[in-house]
Amino acid sequence: MGIISVAQQDELFWLGRYTERVYTTLRIYARYSDSMIEQGDLYILFCQSMEIQNIYTSPEDFLKSYGYNEDNPDSLISNLLRAYDNAVILREVIGSDSLSYIQMAVYAIRRAAVSKSPILELQKVCDNILAFWGISDDRISLPQARDLIKTGRRLERLDLYARMHYI
């Protein structure tokens, strides 16, 4: 019961990375969404900083596609769905209650995609990710599983902060 396979270790690490990627990027995305519409080239700088291909035709296209297009591998929803896929595979390790917060974050981002006030729904995504991290720390019984999630989170945060010159 206390053994984590190599595959599970990899999935735990990436679960941490994907949840951090969504959380941190979402905070930046939400903070700059109004500015991106007013300053047409701000999304271009965002793409350059994140080292992602600029496939967007306008600030509005960026906000829609980067946030909610499941076919865009760089989008927030794509990364959240990767986290969810890993969480489902890891259900026996992380527990159903931890998994449920990732699932609620997916529901919230899908509601944001069709909402007239998406920032409110996106805040729920952040809240659910924070709740996932909290319950994971409290309920996952294997310390090495918790540590792998935290290691993935910290590595992703360092990477994103360095790219975005974010503090």
Side-chain angles (χ1 to χ4, degrees):
M1 178 115 172
I3 297 174
I4 300 175
S5 72
V6 173
Q8 288 174 325
Q9 291 174 30
D10 185 58
E11 290 155 356
L12 287 160
F13 175 79
W14 280 101
L15 176 59
R17 284 201 76 159
Y18 289 134
T19 55
E20 183 65 49
R21 185 175 303 163
V22 172
Y23 177 78
T24 298
T25 308
L26 187 53
R27 287 179 50 217
I28 297 166
Y29 173 90
R31 190 168 79 179
Y32 289 108
S33 62
D34 290 335
S35 301
M36 284 183 191
I37 292 172
E38 295 168 7
Q39 300 174 16
D41 63 341
L42 193 55
Y43 78 95
I44 296 169
L45 296 172
F46 180 90
C47 291
Q48 289 170 347
S49 295
M50 289 292 289
E51 299 174 5
I52 60 173
Q53 185 177 5
N54 181 4
I55 58 170
Y56 312 101
T57 58
S58 67
E60 293 82 6
D61 180 47
F62 170 80
L63 290 171
K64 188 75 172 167
S65 182
Y66 186 77
Y68 314 111
N69 183 349
E70 293 182 31
D71 296 326
N72 178 351
D74 298 318
S75 71
L76 293 168
I77 195 164
S78 290
N79 282 289
L80 187 55
L81 290 171
R82 286 185 202 111
Y84 177 74
D85 289 344
N86 280 4
V88 168
I89 292 168
L90 293 164
R91 178 183 223 134
E92 295 299 318
V93 177
I94 67 171
S96 295
D97 45 357
S98 295
L99 168 62
S100 67
Y101 284 103
I102 300 295
Q103 189 167 18
M104 287 189 291
V106 171
Y107 293 155
I109 202 165
R110 287 198 168 130
R111 284 191 306 269
V114 296
S115 175
K116 292 188 189 299
S117 47
I119 297 300
L120 295 174
E121 292 299 328
L122 292 175
Q123 181 59 51
K124 293 176 185 175
V125 175
C126 287
D127 293 346
N128 283 308
I129 290 172
L130 289 169
F132 164 73
W133 291 335
I135 201 164
S136 294
D137 209 31
D138 189 54
R139 298 265 175 95
I140 295 176
S141 61
L142 298 172
Q144 57 270 46
R146 291 191 309 266
D147 292 345
L148 283 164
I149 292 171
K150 289 177 185 178
T151 300
R153 283 184 55 205
R154 284 177 176 79
L155 182 63
E156 187 66 25
R157 184 173 289 192
L158 283 171
D159 181 40
L160 289 171
Y161 279 24
R163 284 189 212 192
M164 298 300 292
H165 308 287
Y166 188 72
I167 298 175

